[in-house]
Amino acid sequence: MMISKQLHTLQFKTKQNFEENLTCLKNLLLECESDSIVLTPEVCLTNFCYQRMEEASEFAKEATNTLLNLSNEKTIITTMIEKYKNGFYNNLKVFCNGELLHKQSKHKLFPLGNEHLHFQAGSIEEISPFEMSGIKCGAINCFELRFIELWERIKGCDLIFVPAQWAKERKDHFQTLTKALAITTQSFVMASNSANDSMGGGSGIITPFGYVTQDDLKEIISFRANFNDVAKVRKFIDIGL
């Protein structure tokens, strides 16, 4: 059975006003057709607002309700700052059919950005495949892209999500690693990086054979994926997946 999906990876700037960011995201989502899959940059609604963590966590409740409603017609993947007990987590959340389908907390925290001083690390066990509309999916969050052992945990997935806030100084690393992830796992990879002034952009959608659709001038990057291509590549170049 052929599964074909329209994929959209977003690339936009995040402002200091959380409500404005949510409105911007809603408007972009409305431009994406029904039954599509949409990935946002990491913490796109708040940025890493270390002086406003409590506020960001409260805002995550409003954002979650909004995205749950919007996910009745499309699948939305994003990350947000949320508080659990006495700690804050960078939670990757997948909204699908009006429900929270999957959640994982960022396991590898970025020391150059002092994430380890403000966030609790999630369990590595949360980085695992999940099923969505007949598609086997996985996700890794920004800095986690650098760790091969995390690639192993989602090996065999058809589609991998990589939301990011990746600095422009290391843009080439981001583009190289996301392409390598697609080729190594023979999966479609959706990479969504922030367009903030200090960030590198470089968002794109990469096929299992390594072909890249990218455009730093666009806020929405789109590609129609035929998931039969995953099986074709794995049969053509058999590496045991």
Side-chain angles (χ1 to χ4, degrees):
M1 181 180 68
M2 187 183 80
I3 299 178
S4 179
K5 285 279 187 182
Q6 190 71 29
L7 309 181
H8 302 287
T9 186
L10 305 184
Q11 184 173 251
F12 62 96
K13 290 187 176 183
T14 297
K15 301 175 182 177
Q16 290 191 353
N17 187 299
F18 298 168
E19 290 285 356
E20 287 185 23
N21 296 329
L22 183 56
T23 298
C24 176
L25 176 56
K26 285 164 60 178
N27 289 337
L28 290 172
L29 288 169
L30 290 173
E31 291 186 43
C32 301
E33 61 268 55
S34 296
D35 199 37
S36 59
I37 300 173
V38 188
L39 174 67
T40 83
E42 183 185 21
V43 293
C44 66
L45 298 175
T46 61
N47 277 330
F48 288 98
C49 52
Y50 293 149
Q51 308 306 316
R52 303 168 66 191
M53 296 285 273
E54 290 282 356
E55 184 184 351
S57 179
E58 279 300 308
F59 186 73
K61 298 174 184 176
E62 176 186 341
T64 293
N65 288 331
T66 298
L67 296 178
L68 281 170
N69 290 330
L70 289 170
S71 72
N72 282 311
E73 295 184 349
K74 61 203 69 171
T75 300
I76 305 162
I77 303 93
T78 192
T79 92
M80 55 184 70
I81 297 168
E82 295 183 306
K83 189 175 185 180
Y84 178 69
K85 294 184 177 177
N86 293 319
F88 294 97
Y89 293 83
N90 182 342
N91 286 334
L92 184 148
K93 302 171 82 170
V94 179
F95 301 97
C96 182
N97 295 325
E99 297 181 351
L100 177 62
L101 178 68
H102 175 79
K103 184 178 83 169
Q104 63 189 65
S105 300
K106 192 172 187 178
H107 173 65
K108 292 289 188 179
L109 303 174
F110 185 47
L112 277 179
N114 288 328
E115 288 180 21
H116 61 297
L117 302 179
H118 300 276
F119 290 100
Q120 301 294 317
S123 168
I124 193 173
E125 300 301 322
E126 294 181 8
I127 302 174
S128 59
F130 57 94
E131 195 82 11
M132 184 179 70
S133 303
I135 303 167
K136 189 177 182 181
C137 299
I140 47 181
N141 192 351
C142 198
F143 184 53
E144 294 176 337
L145 182 61
R146 293 185 179 273
F147 297 87
I148 299 298
E149 66 268 27
L150 302 186
W151 294 25
E152 287 287 331
R153 295 192 59 81
I154 52 176
K155 191 166 65 175
C157 288
D158 305 313
L159 177 61
I160 298 173
F161 307 109
V162 186
Q165 288 261 2
W166 201 282
K168 62 173 61 175
E169 294 86 354
R170 295 174 291 280
K171 178 179 181 177
D172 181 62
H173 295 191
F174 182 67
Q175 292 174 303
T176 301
L177 287 168
T178 50
K179 184 174 181 178
L181 176 63
I183 294 170
T184 301
T185 60
Q186 297 179 324
S187 309
F188 284 98
V189 169
M190 296 176 67
S192 177
N193 191 26
S194 170
N196 290 351
D197 292 342
S198 61
M199 296 296 140
S203 304
I205 300 168
I206 307 124
T207 74
F209 207 71
Y211 298 124
V212 183
T213 300
Q214 252 169 8
D215 190 337
D216 278 356
L217 298 179
K218 291 184 177 180
E219 288 188 310
I220 303 175
I221 298 162
S222 305
F223 182 83
R224 186 83 188 179
N226 179 350
F227 284 93
N228 283 350
D229 290 347
V230 175
K232 287 179 182 178
V233 170
R234 291 175 182 174
K235 184 178 180 180
F236 179 57
I237 305 177
D238 186 0
I239 59 173
L241 291 174

